[in-house]
Amino acid sequence: MSFEIVAKSLSQIGITLALILIAFGIVEAVIFLVYNKVLKAGDKALTGMLLAPAVIGLFLLIVIPLIYELVLSFSNMNLHHFKDPSFGITYFFDNIKRVFTTKILKKMTFWPLLFQTVLWTAIQVTFHVVLGLMLALILNSKIRFKELYKGILILPWAMPPVISGLTWRGEFHSEYGFFNIILRRLFGDAAAIPWMTDGFWNFVAMNITNIWMGVPFMMVICLGALQGVPSEYYEAAAMDGAGKGTRLFQITIPLIKPVLAPSVMLGIIWTFNNFNVPYFINQFMLETSDILVTALYRAAFTYNQYGFAAAFALVIFFILFGISIIYMKKTGALKAVGD
Amino acid sequence: MKKNSTPLIQQDTLIESIIKQIVMIVFSVVTIFPILRIISVSLRPGDRLLSTSLRIIPLDATWDNYITLISNGKFFLWIWNSAIITLITAVIGLSIAAFSAYAVSRWKFRGRSALLLFLLGTQMIPAAMLIIPLFIIATKLSLVNTYSGIILAYSVQAVPFSIWILKGYYDTIPRSLEEAAEIDGAPKMYIFFKIILPLTLPALAVAFLFNFMSSWNEFMLASIMLRKSTMHPWTLGLRDLQGQYQTAWGQYSAGSVLISIPVVFLFYKSSRFLVSGLTMGSVKE
């Protein structure tokens, strides 16, 4: 940390910012002039001017990279052909064929990876929703120390995910992590579990970590949904002599389902694409606990198979897209888009 | 209609209350235990890092790890890198989102639904998918290991989500405000900057925080774009400390504590708004 570094970073950032501002200044001026002088629709100029930064930014930094990704999937770009890749339709078919038929990395093929990713997503979202709803129901009732519990339970959501991931990784250490310390004290040395070296236990470790990290979000969403349920319904049910179980399954759950649907959808997408937890808990010691997105990262940046990884990424995207569409159709989530 | 429970709804029996308390206590302990462990390890003296004690405050607690971490100079460099990158990207991201969300909220124009659907679709793109082309483009433009490269790459990451949150807030502001001002002859630009933006300050604060947090906590793109150790943000710095398991575990924990405290504090200050932003539009009054 020195004056030199600070000066260097500030000058670099200053130049970047200046360039961005100048570029947008020019764009805004052009839009203004085109609307006013050419189209004679000055009242629409503002809409265009307000939207321009977002449209240009998203186009340059999301759309263009995605198009480039598509182009890459038609190439043989890798470490040896980084500067001079060849492009062609045959490369595309080769890449796609490789995704489905050969090993993605060194051990796992595509289908086991997909199965593992779906299993991971299903386990996680189920736990998040069930535990989140259970805690929210308790927090929504009359209970002592409510605010204290809520404050504690929300902590894992507040923690930076990198710190949570690295910390849990440390706690799965076979000697000094608290899991094995506790197991050894309770049941003797033989009870210690090889969290970091055994494929199955590493997958369990991944799941434990992500349940801890993900429940608070769903709990808070459920709590928000529960507070929107009018108490008249419960009063009417109580008059009819409905018990607590009946009320939960006949009133509460049907009423909060539509509110939860978009959040569950987000949960599915986030979990499917969750990179941090599988990456940190495993840190490349085992291929067996990879999910699709960590395998993709390694195909690209450990093995430098850029063309192949691009094709693999497209396959992953379309699988997730398919899952999302089916989910939306089934639940009617996100009907409100566009109004 | 008041939300008080009426006499009709039976109170919890004693057994039910006890069960609820037990569940809450168990979950609270499970939640907080790993976090207390970080604090505990950070307070251990150097020669007892690898103890198998489960005490939260070690008997011989010291600030050694904090002193070592801060005096080796790297820690402040990481924080500086993270802070400067994050601050600039959050400002850019928020500006982009605030302007366009207003346009989307107030006017119907061609391509509006397409834009909204596109914003939603971006959430499905795995981060690892975008990183491949971004990295190759950055390599070709020699933007790897530069602040400019990472700032450009980060700047729109949080924009789609921010637009959604802000649009929800703008939608709740009655149009009569703008209409009244227009009748008085105020130009549209004036209305937006002088009337609308001040009203949406809480939402802007939340969107800013969301932008800030997503860059501050980002790991994957940083690990590819910022390979030089002088360019490391704190995420990569801590990863390296944690990787040298035997020697630096105490320093890693001390760093985690120092970084988590302000982040957690900010989160608690703003979580209320964040939640209302998330459930906005889905909760029918």
Side-chain angles (χ1 to χ4, degrees):
Chain A
M1 190 70 200
S2 66
F3 174 74
E4 201 183 323
I5 291 172
V6 173
K8 192 186 123 203
S9 53
L10 283 181
S11 69
Q12 226 190 74
I13 286 166
I15 292 167
T16 311
L17 266 184
L19 287 175
I20 292 174
L21 282 174
I22 291 167
F24 278 125
I26 294 170
V27 168
E28 297 291 357
V30 167
I31 292 174
F32 184 78
L33 289 173
V34 166
Y35 272 109
N36 277 304
K37 299 272 186 276
V38 185
L39 300 173
K40 302 279 188 252
D43 55 333
K44 290 218 174 81
L46 185 64
T47 314
M49 286 167 79
L50 288 174
L51 284 168
V55 172
I56 292 171
L58 292 168
F59 185 76
L60 286 180
L61 293 163
I62 293 184
V63 178
I64 296 245
L66 285 179
I67 293 171
Y68 188 53
E69 178 99 330
L70 189 62
V71 172
L72 277 178
S73 66
F74 283 84
S75 79
N76 64 345
M77 191 190 264
N78 57 28
L79 203 53
H80 308 294
H81 300 279
F82 189 73
K83 287 220 159 51
D84 57 334
S86 323
F87 294 89
I89 192 95
T90 48
Y91 291 118
F92 177 73
F93 285 120
D94 278 353
N95 284 331
I96 295 285
K97 208 170 90 188
R98 269 187 60 197
V99 170
F100 290 105
T101 53
T102 57
K103 293 184 177 71
I104 299 280
L105 301 167
K106 282 204 157 75
K107 285 198 204 106
M108 300 270 277
T109 52
F110 175 81
W111 299 108
L113 269 172
L114 175 64
F115 173 75
Q116 180 131 301
T117 309
V118 171
L119 182 70
W120 151 259
T121 308
I123 292 172
Q124 288 303 315
V125 175
T126 306
F127 269 99
H128 291 166
V129 173
V130 171
L131 292 179
L133 183 59
M134 182 184 88
L135 294 172
L137 282 168
I138 297 178
L139 285 173
N140 200 37
S141 65
K142 274 197 158 55
I143 173 174
R144 258 189 226 176
F145 316 119
K146 189 190 288 196
E147 287 308 310
L148 172 72
Y149 289 140
K150 206 164 128 186
I152 292 174
L153 291 172
I154 218 172
L155 254 175
W157 186 15
M159 292 283 286
V162 172
I163 291 178
S164 304
L166 288 171
T167 301
W168 278 90
R169 179 171 175 260
E171 298 300 2
F172 285 113
H173 188 271
S174 62
E175 292 292 322
Y176 310 111
F178 72 71
F179 278 98
N180 279 3
I181 293 176
I182 293 171
L183 286 170
R184 279 200 175 89
R185 286 199 189 176
L186 290 177
F187 310 108
D189 279 348
I193 289 174
W195 298 104
M196 300 309 270
T197 47
D198 178 273
F200 170 77
W201 286 111
N202 195 260
F203 187 68
V204 174
M206 251 164 73
N207 276 285
I208 292 174
T209 305
N210 204 49
I211 289 169
W212 183 86
M213 282 166 76
V215 167
F217 172 78
M218 272 304 166
M219 178 186 88
V220 169
I221 296 285
C222 290
L223 204 53
L226 287 174
Q227 277 156 358
V229 178
S231 56
E232 291 89 337
Y233 286 105
Y234 294 123
E235 282 152 23
M239 282 211 202
D240 294 342
K244 290 200 171 180
T246 318
R247 259 185 270 157
L248 173 64
F249 288 102
Q250 300 295 328
I251 301 172
T252 311
I253 290 180
L255 275 175
I256 62 172
K257 242 188 194 159
V259 184
L260 292 186
S263 305
V264 172
M265 163 114 189
L266 263 185
I268 291 172
I269 292 172
W270 285 343
T271 311
F272 195 96
N273 286 335
N274 187 323
F275 173 83
N276 282 346
V277 173
Y279 176 87
F280 287 131
I281 296 298
N282 169 0
Q283 202 106 40
F284 295 178
M285 296 200 213
L286 298 161
E287 240 179 65
T288 44
S289 32
D290 265 319
I291 61 172
L292 287 168
V293 287
T294 49
L296 171 65
Y297 178 89
R298 295 169 67 179
F301 299 109
T302 309
Y303 298 100
N304 305 96
Q305 304 275 355
Y306 300 109
F308 166 70
F312 185 31
L314 291 177
V315 172
I316 295 174
F317 177 75
F318 280 112
I319 290 170
L320 186 59
F321 194 73
I323 292 173
S324 307
I325 296 286
I326 292 166
Y327 179 87
M328 280 194 233
K329 279 235 157 62
K330 277 239 183 296
T331 59
L334 309 161
K335 257 192 225 134
V337 175
D339 39 294
Chain B
M1 189 77 202
K2 279 196 306 198
K3 289 249 165 139
N4 294 343
S5 55
T6 56
L8 273 174
I9 296 186
Q10 69 253 48
Q11 294 297 313
D12 285 347
T13 58
L14 183 63
I15 301 283
E16 279 172 335
S17 300
I18 291 171
I19 290 174
K20 279 182 181 179
Q21 287 292 338
I22 291 171
V23 171
M24 281 289 136
I25 289 166
V26 167
F27 272 88
S28 299
V29 168
V30 169
T31 298
I32 210 161
F33 185 66
I35 296 169
L36 291 178
R37 279 270 298 179
I38 307 178
I39 298 170
S40 157
V41 173
S42 75
L43 293 170
R44 287 180 191 175
D47 56 347
R48 280 209 30 259
L49 270 185
L50 301 177
S51 102
T52 53
S53 147
L54 290 173
R55 287 185 64 91
I56 294 303
I57 305 288
L59 291 169
D60 41 7
T62 93
W63 295 107
D64 285 357
N65 289 316
Y66 290 87
I67 293 162
T68 315
L69 177 77
I70 286 170
S71 58
N72 81 7
K74 271 191 182 163
F75 184 69
F76 283 115
L77 177 63
W78 299 335
I79 297 290
W80 166 257
N81 284 337
S82 278
I84 190 97
I85 290 166
T86 303
L87 209 64
I88 303 289
T89 51
V91 170
I92 296 174
L94 180 68
S95 319
I96 290 177
F99 291 137
S100 50
Y102 182 67
V104 169
S105 161
R106 281 302 185 256
W107 299 299
K108 294 259 185 277
F109 48 87
R110 238 177 309 157
R112 182 172 170 276
S113 304
L115 179 70
L116 284 171
L117 272 173
F118 173 76
L119 292 177
L120 204 73
T122 55
Q123 300 303 300
M124 286 179 212
I125 302 166
M129 179 177 181
L130 263 182
I131 285 178
I132 299 165
L134 282 175
F135 167 71
I136 292 168
I137 293 169
T139 309
K140 294 204 190 278
L141 300 174
S142 36
L143 285 171
V144 175
N145 284 323
T146 64
Y147 293 99
S148 324
I150 196 81
I151 285 173
L152 284 173
Y154 277 168
S155 60
V156 297
Q157 300 283 334
V159 163
F161 201 77
S162 309
I163 291 181
W164 275 106
I165 289 184
L166 289 170
K167 174 186 173 286
Y169 274 90
Y170 289 135
D171 285 345
T172 61
I173 298 173
R175 281 164 191 250
S176 49
L177 278 175
E178 288 128 292
E179 283 156 10
E182 264 181 62
I183 291 167
D184 294 344
K188 280 188 170 169
M189 282 284 189
Y190 177 90
I191 295 170
F192 176 63
F193 280 102
K194 289 281 177 194
I195 299 171
I196 302 295
L197 278 187
L199 278 176
T200 52
L201 271 184
L204 289 173
V206 170
F208 179 81
L209 201 85
F210 181 79
N211 274 273
F212 187 91
M213 286 295 177
S214 57
S215 304
W216 179 257
N217 290 331
E218 209 281 338
F219 173 86
M220 200 193 322
L221 193 52
S223 73
I224 298 300
M225 295 279 278
L226 304 171
R227 290 164 182 233
K228 265 208 338 239
S229 63
T230 50
M231 297 295 300
H232 274 358
W234 70 262
T235 44
L236 300 183
L238 285 191
R239 189 259 329 249
D240 291 347
L241 278 181
Q242 215 270 358
Q244 315 156 345
Y245 204 92
Q246 311 300 333
T247 50
W249 199 17
Q251 283 182 56
Y252 158 78
S253 302
S256 298
V257 172
L258 291 176
I259 288 163
S260 298
I261 288 171
V263 171
V264 170
F265 177 79
L266 269 177
F267 183 89
Y268 276 92
K269 281 276 167 228
S270 64
S271 58
R272 220 159 21 91
F273 299 108
L274 194 69
V275 173
S276 64
L278 283 170
T279 47
M280 182 73 70
S282 54
V283 182
K284 294 280 180 288
E285 284 302 317

